[in-house]
Amino acid sequence: MAPAAGAVAGRKNWSAECRNMWRVAGPVILTEIFQFMLGFVTAAFVGHIGKIELAAVSIVNGVVEGLAFGLLLGMGSALETLCGQAVSAGQLQMLGVYMHRSWIICLSTSLVLLPLYVFTSPILRLLRRSAAISAVSGRYARWCVPQLFAYAVNFPIQKFYQAQSRAWVMTAISGAVLGVHTLLDWLVVARLGRGLVGAAVVGNVSWWLLNATQFVYVVGGSFPEAWTGFSRKAFASLGGFVRLSIASAVMLCLEMWYYTAVLILVGCLKNPEIQVGAISICMNYQLWTLMVAVGFNAAVSIRVSNELGANHPKAAKFSVVVATSTSATIGLIFTAVALAARKQIPRLFTDDDILVKETAKLGYLLAATIFLNSIQPVLSGVAIGAGWQSLVAFVNIACYYLVGLPLAAVFGFNLKLNATGIWVGVLIGTVLQTVILFVILVRTKWQKEAMLAEERIRVWGGGDVELPHVQETRRTRR
């Protein structure tokens, strides 16, 4: 009877943890889709203006805003560590302070990124883009400057919501704003013919409407303990907060830019048009599957930070197991679809038979990448929840940029394997990174992580006393 009772208890624990995980992952996935669709809808309307305008919007969205988006999202991800641990430690009053600190850091980062928007045109000309596309891209980027600062405000608010399991509110607001955005694009771009400037203004309005609605919900009394107004405490302990934010940004950006490097390398091949097109089609399909993994990334980071903050190390470890298993199972489904439909998926994007054939050849590599990317973001989420951003940043540099990309260059250019060789090299880097993160997880002492979480809450919460057992933990880890 005892083993049977244990099995029942295990199933109940697994079921309860799955519900906790999906309570965050589900709305985060939908929010990612809704906010991604803001740029997609803009590109769809601009595409009817002309090819140069569509190319300009694609470059600004994919390169300029992609760079800013990644950096600011990474900076804001520091809140996943701190807010999640503070919630379970009963320090709700610190959440508003943490969000305020993150706004200060993200807005300061936006000022640093501002020249990228202002000088988009000359930068693109230095990169040998056509004069016409460079000029149009530069004009569009300058009109999109308000969106840069909107990102800086949005990401900290998102983490504030997620840490308190209010992600569905964020999803509802994002869905409503997407509807308004689509209507405004139709009115301003399609009906009134305001062109690129009109599209940029609509984007600005939509992102700031998103921020304003989320902020009104915060200050309207929905978070009475977590938000008590702006505080001078936000300016205390900024040094440590900045270091964690930078580590989060570096960790995330190294991952986001890794597959961007694939497109850059493939573009350097001889006669790259077909191969770039094939890689782009694969990346588009992969992007949609990655949104699910991103949801689990956020969910596991919150669950781990919550349990560590509450001094429940075994529960934190169990959350990692459930999240990894669930995301990997969903990844297997997407992998099976990629393998079974590797000749049909390309036809969703093109009618060119040669391009369809080349894309189908990459189907096996796409399937392997999708499966790995159903696990790797979850492991990164664990790192964020536990506060290991600096460690994982070094792992990413070593695996991605010292192993993966050099191998990709050797396979693609020296061995003349072209796009297939480049992707194989990149895949090897991802496998290595995933294996190393698994080893780190297996060797993790979760009780020590819970003690360090307590220290982080005390020090960054405004305290200046370090507990004796935390000091001992630091000495042991060294």
Side-chain angles (χ1 to χ4, degrees):
M1 293 296 291
V8 170
R11 285 195 295 271
K12 286 183 177 179
N13 289 339
W14 189 280
S15 177
E17 183 59 36
C18 280
R19 286 196 299 272
N20 289 332
M21 199 70 63
W22 276 106
R23 193 175 294 121
V24 178
V28 168
I29 291 168
L30 287 176
T31 301
E32 289 289 327
I33 291 173
F34 290 150
Q35 295 189 5
F36 169 78
M37 289 294 290
L38 293 175
F40 181 83
V41 168
T42 297
F45 278 98
V46 169
H48 293 285
I49 300 174
K51 292 182 179 179
I52 291 179
E53 287 79 5
L54 178 59
V57 169
S58 298
I59 288 173
V60 173
N61 286 348
V63 180
V64 180
E65 290 194 326
L67 174 64
F69 193 95
L71 279 171
L72 293 170
L73 177 60
M75 300 290 276
S77 293
L79 287 188
E80 291 184 26
T81 305
L82 301 175
C83 286
Q85 293 177 2
V87 166
S88 291
Q91 300 291 323
L92 287 177
Q93 74 278 4
M94 289 309 302
L95 298 190
V97 175
Y98 288 152
M99 181 168 65
H100 190 185
R101 281 180 192 163
S102 190
W103 278 336
I104 294 169
I105 294 169
C106 289
L107 287 169
S108 300
T109 304
S110 296
L111 288 174
V112 175
L113 292 171
L114 185 58
L116 181 65
Y117 281 68
V118 176
F119 299 108
T120 294
S121 183
I123 290 172
L124 290 177
R125 284 200 297 271
L126 284 175
L127 296 175
R128 304 192 175 211
R129 298 290 178 180
S130 73
I133 292 178
S134 297
V136 176
S137 298
R139 185 160 61 96
Y140 181 70
R142 287 192 295 273
W143 277 97
C144 287
V145 165
Q147 291 179 47
L148 169 64
F149 293 96
Y151 298 154
V153 174
N154 181 55
F155 297 138
I157 295 182
Q158 282 192 358
K159 306 310 177 186
F160 179 87
Y161 274 87
Q162 290 172 14
Q164 298 173 87
S165 300
R166 299 287 186 92
W168 279 113
V169 176
M170 186 173 64
T171 303
I173 293 172
S174 298
V177 169
L178 175 61
V180 173
H181 177 78
T182 304
L183 180 61
L184 288 176
D185 263 332
W186 172 80
L187 177 63
V188 175
V189 179
R191 296 291 294 175
L192 300 180
R194 297 301 181 183
L196 277 183
V197 173
V201 171
V202 168
N204 297 336
V205 170
S206 298
W207 275 100
W208 279 105
L209 176 62
L210 180 70
N211 286 339
T213 308
Q214 291 180 141
F215 185 69
V216 167
Y217 187 84
V218 169
V219 301
S222 300
F223 301 95
E225 294 182 77
W227 177 259
T228 56
F230 294 98
S231 170
R232 291 182 179 178
K233 288 183 179 180
F235 295 92
S237 304
L238 268 179
F241 208 99
V242 169
R243 286 193 294 274
L244 182 62
S245 296
I246 291 174
S248 299
V250 171
M251 186 192 86
L252 186 64
C253 288
L254 289 175
E255 294 175 1
M256 292 178 66
W257 297 338
Y258 187 45
Y259 283 95
T260 301
V262 175
L263 291 174
I264 295 173
L265 287 176
V266 172
C268 296
L269 295 169
K270 292 182 179 179
N271 302 317
E273 290 80 7
I274 293 296
Q275 295 184 76
V276 169
I279 289 283
S280 298
I281 290 172
C282 290
M283 293 297 181
N284 268 287
Y285 177 71
Q286 180 195 344
L287 179 63
W288 287 97
T289 65
L290 191 60
M291 288 184 186
V292 175
V294 167
F296 282 96
N297 170 285
V300 75
S301 69
I302 291 170
R303 292 293 303 133
V304 168
S305 61
N306 282 169
E307 299 299 351
L308 290 179
N311 197 23
H312 298 153
K314 290 184 179 179
K317 183 178 180 179
F318 185 63
S319 295
V320 174
V321 174
V322 173
T324 305
S325 302
T326 306
S327 185
T329 301
I330 296 173
L332 278 174
I333 297 173
F334 283 124
T335 300
V337 171
L339 287 173
R342 62 189 181 87
K343 295 181 180 179
Q344 288 73 38
I345 288 175
R347 294 200 177 276
L348 297 174
F349 300 89
T350 182
D351 295 321
D352 189 311
D353 289 334
I354 297 177
L355 184 54
V356 168
K357 184 178 179 181
E358 289 298 317
T359 306
K361 288 180 182 178
L362 298 173
Y364 296 104
L365 291 175
L366 172 63
T369 301
I370 287 172
F371 179 69
L372 278 175
N373 282 347
S374 69
I375 298 174
Q376 186 274 334
V378 177
L379 302 183
S380 295
V382 176
I384 293 172
W388 303 338
Q389 288 93 328
S390 296
L391 172 62
V392 177
F394 284 114
V395 172
N396 288 351
I397 290 172
C399 296
Y400 290 164
Y401 296 91
L402 299 183
V403 176
L405 289 181
L407 284 178
V410 170
F411 293 160
F413 297 97
N414 294 56
L415 301 183
K416 301 186 183 301
L417 296 176
N418 298 323
T420 301
I422 290 173
W423 201 333
V424 168
V426 166
L427 201 56
I428 290 173
T430 305
V431 170
L432 180 61
Q433 188 249 22
T434 304
V435 170
I436 291 175
L437 290 184
F438 261 122
V439 171
I440 292 173
L441 280 177
V442 170
R443 298 183 62 183
T444 295
K445 306 298 183 184
W446 289 100
Q447 184 62 51
K448 292 181 180 179
E449 297 301 327
M451 294 165 67
L452 290 170
E454 181 180 355
E455 177 199 16
R456 193 177 293 117
I457 293 167
R458 288 194 172 214
V459 174
W460 288 353
D464 54 4
V465 178
E466 192 168 54
L467 299 178
H469 70 268
V470 175
Q471 294 173 347
E472 179 61 30
T473 299
R474 280 186 174 276
R475 287 194 291 270
T476 303
R477 290 189 71 176
R478 291 194 187 107

